[in-house]
Amino acid sequence: MLAPGRQATVEETVTEDMTAQRLGSGDVPVLGTPAILALVEAAAVTAVAEALDPGTTSVGASVELDHLAPTPVGGTVTATAALAEVEGRRLTFRFEVTDAAGPVARGTHVRVVVDRERFLDTARERR
Ligand SMILES: CC(C)(COP(=O)(O)OP(=O)(O)OC[C@H]1O[C@@H](n2cnc3c(N)ncnc32)[C@H](O)[C@@H]1OP(=O)(O)O)[C@@H](O)C(=O)NCCC(=O)NCCS
């Protein structure tokens, strides 16, 4: 059931591909903010995937993310997203990301439930 309380966690080891330097989001070789967002979105998607009606999916609509501390290559990061609110098709998640030393990021992420085919049609029409 699509209700507050659902949550999921993803864990990953930081590789060179995930650094700000490699992603172009900075020039330092530490975990980049876009890579953190990707982990958070993966956790949020997983948290609700099995509760969605067939033919629907969730798409990322907005994010508010505080990046609190740097994580080096080789470190392990864990992102947990928990469904906090369901308002119609809008799903609001609270998330936290940690590494071995403590908090790395936290914030709020909104996803919207869409019909997969209609959503892809909209994207195609924008070409
Ligand atoms: C998210 C999206 C599908 C919403 O479009 P839509 O269905 O026409 O939007 P609607 O106006 O019907 O909004 C649906 C609900 O989501 C909410 N919503 C839409 N965009 C939002 C946003 N950016 N932030 C927060 N809430 C949003 C609306 O308030 C509405 O909530 P309600 O039903 O409680 O009123 C559209 O903005 C979009 O395609 N965004 C791009 C998504 C994307 O490409 N993500 C990357 C791939 S996952």
Side-chain angles (χ1 to χ4, degrees):
M1 198 177 114
L2 198 53
R6 300 187 72 87
Q7 67 171 54
T9 297
V10 297
E11 188 177 285
E12 220 164 297
T13 301
V14 178
T15 60
E16 298 284 350
D17 283 349
M18 296 162 74
T19 63
Q21 199 170 49
R22 189 66 67 83
L23 293 168
S25 63
D27 64 5
V28 282
V30 303
L31 178 63
T33 313
I36 290 182
L37 176 57
L39 285 177
V40 166
E41 290 205 70
V45 165
T46 303
V48 296
E50 67 178 26
L52 296 179
D53 291 335
T56 69
T57 188
S58 72
V59 295
S62 77
V63 64
E64 198 176 290
L65 186 156
D66 294 326
H67 195 166
L68 306 167
T71 304
V73 171
T76 299
V77 271
T78 302
T80 298
L83 183 58
E85 243 181 296
V86 180
E87 299 162 283
R89 297 159 52 212
R90 182 171 48 197
L91 312 177
T92 302
F93 298 85
R94 309 250 181 266
F95 64 82
E96 27 186 62
V97 183
T98 58
D99 65 13
V104 168
R106 62 171 162 251
T108 304
H109 174 45
V110 174
R111 304 189 70 78
V112 174
V113 178
V114 297
D115 179 277
R116 180 187 292 273
E117 286 310 317
R118 282 216 317 259
F119 177 79
L120 292 175
D121 282 346
T122 303
R124 282 183 210 111
E125 282 162 14
R126 296 178 63 84
R127 290 189 74 166

